Amino acid sequence: MSLGVSPLDAERRKYRPRLPTVLARGMAGLEVEAGGPTAAVADADAIRKHFPQTFGRPLLRFRSGGPGGAAKPLRVGVVLSGGQAPGGHNVIAGILDALRGVHGESRLHGFLGGPRGIFTGQHRELTVDLVEPYRNSGGFDMIGSGRDKIETPEQLAACRATCEKLDLDALVIIGGDDSNTNAAVLAEYFLEQQLDLSVIGVPKTIDGDLKGGPVEASFGFDTASKVYGELIGNICRDAKSAGKYWHFVKLMGRSASHVTLECALRTRPNLAWIGEEVRKNELTLREIVDRTADVVRRRREAGRSYGVVLVPEGLIEFIPEMRVLIDELNALLALHAGGDAETQRRRAAEQLTAPSAAVLESLPGNIREQLLKDRDSHGNVQVSLIETESLLAAKVAERLDAWRAEGTFDGSLKAHRHFFGYEGRCAAPSNFDADYAYGLGHVAVALIARGRTGYMAALRGLTGPRGAWEPVGVPLTSLMRIERRKGRPVPVIAKALVE
């Protein structure tokens, strides 16, 4: 074991991911079957106008038994985009192994620091020796990642120049919904420029919100939910052991509550709030607080003054009056950026609508400050930084104090607050994610070797045995819809919410 390698890392390296049978037989014998034309999740006419070259392409299936034929060396670029997710290194390992299966002289280049590495030309060749230590490891540190978008004419032209300089046959973008939207844009642009270069996307996000139709899951979700589940299970046992604390746990997932739901199913906490359910039932903050406080009171009456509550990261945006408040603050502070907390609070009090001003004043001081001061690069509230677990704990404590004054509650709330986020993003991938990510790398190469572009690599039948997983190519435009971004309608990969 080399210096700096832990026993766990050394053991994980020994694991050999299992491929679906159709891929394990090799790239040469794969045969493609095309289905009928596809549409889009929504706004098909608008998506067609944005992507005339790639819209409507068929779903592709692969089966073994086709003619082998002569193969040429392939030159492929790969980029990791967005937040880390367990399995990213195995996608790269899968691409490299599949490329070598196509032709021994194939080469793989990794762009450094995310999409920026493409349009700035920062890259390194990924050789067998370089990739080997990263197999089955967490993190994205092999080549790094970033959140840059590729959208300006200058960026697109720079990407083309980089790919031509490296004489690439294909570019693989590993990322979430925004990253795969980048892949769709690049695929369309290269076709318009008559550049013979495939662009393939790979679904990645621990949030679990990049899926739909043939895309059954994004890699990383399985590992992250298991890591969080273990932590929550420990908290549950600690709560029972101490017998006097309530734990409010915030979990990753701003736009969707898949992680919270999965962890709730795994650990059975006393209460789990699902953002999509809150929105569907139009529950107010007061109703959420009352229901949570009632659970605390009923457990107290049963002799159990302890428990665990799970809260999704983006819960605050699902609450109707909070959503209105955030929208008003985004508009207000975009016009009046800067100033200390008191100045921002005074502006808000003067210019917010009366209902929103009342909501803001009802919040604990730290939450008000976070809403007024923590902005992203576009001037919007950084919802992920709002301590929603603290907000809920504080408001529940207020409600219980009121009930105690009324004589309907005889206890107190001793609350602990947690945020489980970064703990799950770079864990060593579970066997499922190790296999899934490695297989996705092979599917990407299968699509490249057949000259396909504007597709997402996917595997279907994931609840069945590994050998029966079915490789497919999903048109990126079939996953898209129109949304308003920065005040204008733009095509994006649609996020999948909890149903």
Side-chain angles (χ1 to χ4, degrees):
M1 183 174 67
S2 63
L3 183 66
V5 177
S6 73
L8 175 60
D9 285 337
E11 192 63 28
R12 285 305 289 163
R13 286 183 192 177
K14 298 176 184 177
Y15 181 73
R16 290 293 173 257
R18 294 167 288 173
L19 284 171
T21 301
V22 66
L23 294 175
R25 291 170 179 166
M27 290 285 118
L30 284 179
E31 189 172 285
V32 180
E33 293 181 349
T38 58
V41 170
D43 312 304
D45 290 340
I47 300 299
R48 183 186 288 109
K49 290 178 181 178
H50 281 280
F51 299 93
Q53 305 278 345
T54 53
F55 182 84
R57 296 197 166 188
L59 178 74
L60 302 178
R61 301 174 61 187
F62 294 91
R63 65 181 183 87
S64 56
K72 67 169 187 174
L74 294 172
R75 297 173 65 92
V76 176
V78 62
V79 62
L80 294 165
S81 181
Q84 293 86 336
H89 289 153
N90 268 32
V91 177
I92 295 174
I95 293 171
L96 180 63
D97 291 352
L99 285 174
R100 294 174 65 215
V102 170
H103 195 287
E105 296 180 13
S106 295
R107 298 174 69 179
L108 180 62
H109 295 270
F111 290 104
L112 306 179
R116 176 175 293 273
I118 308 175
F119 55 77
T120 60
Q122 301 297 308
H123 64 91
R124 69 192 300 190
E125 184 168 359
L126 303 181
T127 63
V128 174
D129 289 342
L130 190 151
V131 171
E132 188 62 29
Y134 291 94
R135 292 177 185 269
N136 308 314
S137 67
F140 280 4
D141 45 300
M142 184 195 301
I143 55 176
S145 185
R147 296 185 181 276
D148 296 278
K149 296 187 186 303
I150 302 173
E151 50 191 359
T152 69
E154 294 77 16
Q155 289 171 333
L156 290 166
C159 288
R160 172 178 178 168
T162 296
C163 292
E164 288 183 318
K165 182 178 180 180
L166 292 174
D167 193 25
L168 296 184
D169 297 293
L171 174 64
V172 180
I173 296 179
I174 303 169
D177 52 303
D178 284 343
S179 303
N180 276 278
T181 298
N182 277 348
V185 169
L186 276 173
E188 187 73 19
Y189 173 76
F190 289 153
L191 286 172
E192 289 173 354
Q193 297 291 308
Q194 298 182 338
L195 181 63
D196 186 16
L197 190 149
S198 298
V199 181
I200 304 299
V202 175
K204 172 241 42 160
T205 171
I206 67 168
D207 289 351
D209 57 6
L210 177 51
K211 62 181 179 179
V215 183
E216 295 182 356
S218 53
F219 76 80
F221 174 79
D222 181 73
T223 305
S225 61
K226 285 174 177 171
V227 170
Y228 300 142
E230 181 175 4
L231 294 172
I232 294 164
N234 294 345
I235 292 292
C236 289
R237 181 52 61 91
D238 188 89
K240 185 176 182 180
S241 298
K244 58 183 177 182
Y245 297 118
W246 274 87
H247 295 265
F248 291 77
V249 181
K250 184 174 75 170
L251 294 163
M252 279 285 195
R254 170 178 176 173
S255 300
S257 306
H258 295 288
V259 173
T260 298
L261 177 58
E262 181 71 11
C263 289
L265 294 172
R266 289 182 181 278
T267 63
R268 302 299 197 274
N270 301 103
L271 182 62
W273 285 105
I274 304 301
E276 292 85 341
E277 191 171 46
V278 167
R279 182 166 61 187
K280 178 182 178 181
N281 295 316
E282 297 185 338
L283 298 180
T284 65
L285 178 58
R286 181 183 180 90
E287 289 173 315
I288 292 170
V289 169
D290 282 349
R291 294 189 187 188
T292 306
D294 188 55
V295 171
V296 175
R297 179 166 59 180
R298 286 189 284 116
R299 283 183 61 77
R300 168 69 177 177
E301 292 169 352
R304 301 184 179 93
S305 296
Y306 60 90
V308 175
V309 179
L310 304 187
V311 183
E313 181 182 28
L315 177 66
I316 197 169
E317 285 195 302
F318 287 96
I319 301 171
E321 72 270 28
M322 295 300 298
R323 176 69 264 171
V324 173
L325 171 62
I326 290 171
D327 287 344
E328 289 187 25
L329 286 174
N330 286 341
L332 172 62
L333 297 179
L335 295 174
H336 304 286
D340 56 24
E342 184 56 35
T343 300
Q344 294 287 30
R345 184 177 179 181
R346 176 175 49 79
R347 286 173 180 164
E350 293 172 351
Q351 300 183 44
L352 288 174
T353 61
S356 290
V359 171
L360 183 63
E361 285 302 310
S362 73
L363 301 175
N366 64 319
I367 303 299
R368 283 199 305 268
E369 185 170 346
Q370 290 163 13
L371 285 168
L372 290 169
K373 292 295 291 183
D374 289 330
R375 327 302 295 173
D376 63 17
S377 58
H378 305 298
N380 296 323
V381 171
Q382 297 193 73
V383 172
S384 62
L385 299 182
I386 303 298
E387 296 174 357
T388 312
E389 73 284 13
S390 295
L391 168 62
L392 186 57
K395 299 297 285 185
V396 168
E398 286 181 9
R399 189 55 37 82
L400 293 173
D401 287 344
W403 289 348
R404 185 170 56 249
E406 296 170 358
T408 58
F409 179 68
D410 65 350
S412 63
L413 182 71
K414 296 179 179 179
H416 288 290
R417 303 155 185 85
H418 314 267
F419 174 35
F420 296 152
Y422 292 98
E423 294 87 346
R425 300 202 310 171
C426 288
S430 63
N431 285 353
F432 172 88
D433 272 333
D435 293 352
Y436 183 43
Y438 187 70
L440 290 174
H442 280 72
V443 178
V445 172
L447 290 164
I448 292 165
R450 283 144 190 85
R452 306 292 180 157
T453 189
Y455 277 86
M456 179 181 287
L459 288 163
R460 295 197 296 192
L462 299 178
T463 59
R466 303 289 198 272
W469 288 359
E470 179 188 12
V472 294
V474 183
L476 287 166
T477 55
S478 71
L479 304 170
M480 302 187 85
R481 64 181 303 161
I482 297 293
E483 293 182 8
R484 295 196 70 82
R485 299 281 179 91
K486 301 179 185 178
R488 61 188 181 90
V490 294
V492 297
I493 301 286
K495 288 185 181 293
L497 303 182
V498 171
E499 296 178 356

